[in-house]
Amino acid sequence: MRRPGATTIAEVAERSGVSASTVSRVMNGRFAGDPAIAERVRVAAAELRYSPNHLARSFAMGQTSAIAFLVPDLANPSSQAVLASLSSAAAADGYRVLVADSAESAEDEPLLAADIRRRSDALVLCAPRMSETELIRCAESLAPVVLLNRACPGLPAPTLSVDSRAGFVSLTRHLYGLGHRRIAYVEGPEGVANRNRINGIGDFRAGVEDLDLVRVPGGGTSEDGLAAVDAVIASGVTAVLAFNDLVAVGLVHGLQERGVSVPGQVSVTGFDDIPFARFMSPSLTTESVPHQMLGQLGWARMSSLLRDESPDHDLVFQPRLELRRSTAAPSQT
């Protein structure tokens, strides 16, 4: 017995006495000729158990009903939350989402973006490490594009971003208000996200005279936070601003392993408000980011582009300070 899908379009054309292009148009629902011919083609296809290659059809028609989503780290719960929301919103309109993970590599992001865009109708881009020049080039060459989690002046694409700079002003103000005067910042991967955080801390420091800042190399994962623990302890700080919640989780775990009380001896803050932040011990003080809304509104703007309509305005979200048990006044001892 012939395996389903093994029949070629040429065999269907021969059986029904028409050209292969006619078979293609009938199977794609684009045949406008004699209904009897269309019926003859469908009967032949059924007899031969012909199954059209829908992927090839999509490319031939210039439409895949898929959009691409490029992220720097899919293991990060923040990326997962955006993806879940984006996928749900896109599915409601008949689209699926293809995902590429750049593993925090700025060098790989343009290549990955171009590769996954070839297999989709559009690109939702989350590329915090990519240079602005490369980002603009990608937006121009891979359109339609929507940019998430980053603003970029001059970008020919809709953007939805979060003001992490303002978020770190708020976190630094919180720690300063508790009485901390020597604070460490465990840095993230090099890029605009890390610079925004450093600038936010600097914005607050510009208004005070008695705040010392220690910058500690880090990254974007819990392992990076764990690796920074020795440097944090050696610095003599009483509080730590972590690049994100994952780094903060690693820091808290490592400090407690070494017998350092959080927040009794060292306060720790994060950024993102991933679900685990509320349930770790102690619960994490952080800045909450509306990840689900980023996905929903990202699709709304992409949907407009796909319909050749003007997308809604660019938005910059202000994160919200979530005060929890990982921060307290410094110990007097």
Side-chain angles (χ1 to χ4, degrees):
M1 177 179 288
R2 179 184 290 274
R3 177 176 57 83
T7 302
T8 67
I9 195 170
E11 290 174 297
V12 177
E14 182 179 2
R15 171 71 68 91
S16 57
V18 299
S19 68
S21 61
T22 297
V23 174
S24 177
R25 287 194 294 272
V26 171
M27 302 309 292
N28 291 341
R30 297 163 66 90
F31 181 70
D34 187 344
I37 295 177
E39 180 61 22
R40 193 164 73 238
V41 169
R42 284 191 286 267
V43 169
E47 290 174 350
L48 294 173
R49 305 181 69 189
Y50 171 67
S51 178
N53 186 331
H54 291 288
L55 181 60
R57 170 190 169 186
S58 293
F59 282 117
M61 298 174 66
Q63 183 179 5
T64 66
S65 294
I67 62 167
F69 182 44
L70 176 64
V71 292
D73 180 13
L74 191 56
N76 190 316
S78 299
S79 298
Q80 295 172 15
V82 175
L83 173 60
S85 178
L86 176 68
S87 297
S88 177
D93 286 339
Y95 280 80
R96 66 191 188 279
V97 179
L98 309 179
V99 184
D101 185 339
S102 68
E104 303 282 5
S105 172
E107 293 77 14
D108 291 340
E109 284 176 344
L111 296 175
L112 283 172
D115 180 62
I116 197 170
R117 175 63 178 87
R118 282 192 290 268
R119 292 176 280 138
S120 59
D121 299 335
L123 174 65
V124 177
L125 187 59
C126 183
R129 322 294 173 236
M130 195 184 295
S131 70
E132 289 192 355
T133 299
E134 192 66 41
L135 193 61
I136 291 172
R137 189 195 66 79
C138 282
E140 291 174 342
S141 62
L142 304 179
V145 169
V146 171
L147 180 66
L148 296 186
N149 262 349
R150 178 175 177 180
C152 181
L155 189 79
T159 63
L160 297 168
S161 59
V162 177
D163 193 348
S164 57
R165 181 169 182 163
F168 268 71
V169 171
S170 174
L171 288 168
T172 310
R173 180 186 298 115
H174 166 63
L175 293 176
Y176 186 88
L178 289 173
H180 297 280
R181 295 297 182 269
R182 185 168 172 80
I183 297 173
Y185 169 52
V186 177
E187 301 191 25
E190 183 179 352
V192 66
N194 192 55
R195 291 195 299 273
N196 284 342
R197 287 155 166 78
I198 292 170
N199 289 336
I201 298 169
D203 290 344
F204 180 81
R205 291 185 70 204
V208 298
E209 297 180 351
D210 56 346
L211 178 59
D212 292 330
L213 178 70
V214 179
R215 289 171 57 173
V216 176
T221 70
S222 296
E223 289 76 13
D224 293 317
L226 188 62
V229 167
D230 288 340
V232 167
I233 293 174
S235 71
V237 300
T238 61
V240 185
L241 296 154
F243 172 77
N244 63 17
D245 286 353
L246 289 179
V247 173
V249 168
L251 274 168
V252 171
H253 178 73
L255 288 169
Q256 291 177 331
E257 273 194 333
R258 288 163 174 76
V260 177
S261 171
V262 178
Q265 293 170 272
V266 177
S267 290
V268 177
T269 67
F271 188 91
D272 277 333
D273 198 20
I274 62 176
F276 185 63
R278 289 183 294 162
F279 304 115
M280 61 183 286
S281 181
S283 56
L284 184 65
T285 293
T286 186
E287 289 278 337
S288 180
V289 173
H291 299 108
Q292 291 186 337
M293 190 171 295
L294 284 169
Q296 293 168 357
L297 296 182
W299 172 250
R301 280 149 179 77
M302 180 58 73
S303 180
S304 295
L305 294 177
L306 291 170
R307 296 193 305 268
D308 291 324
E309 298 174 358
S310 296
D312 210 341
H313 299 287
D314 293 348
L315 290 177
V316 180
F317 290 95
Q318 295 300 313
R320 182 182 65 238
L321 180 62
E322 296 287 349
L323 298 177
R324 300 194 180 110
R325 296 179 58 195
S326 68
T327 54
S331 172
Q332 298 302 312
T333 60

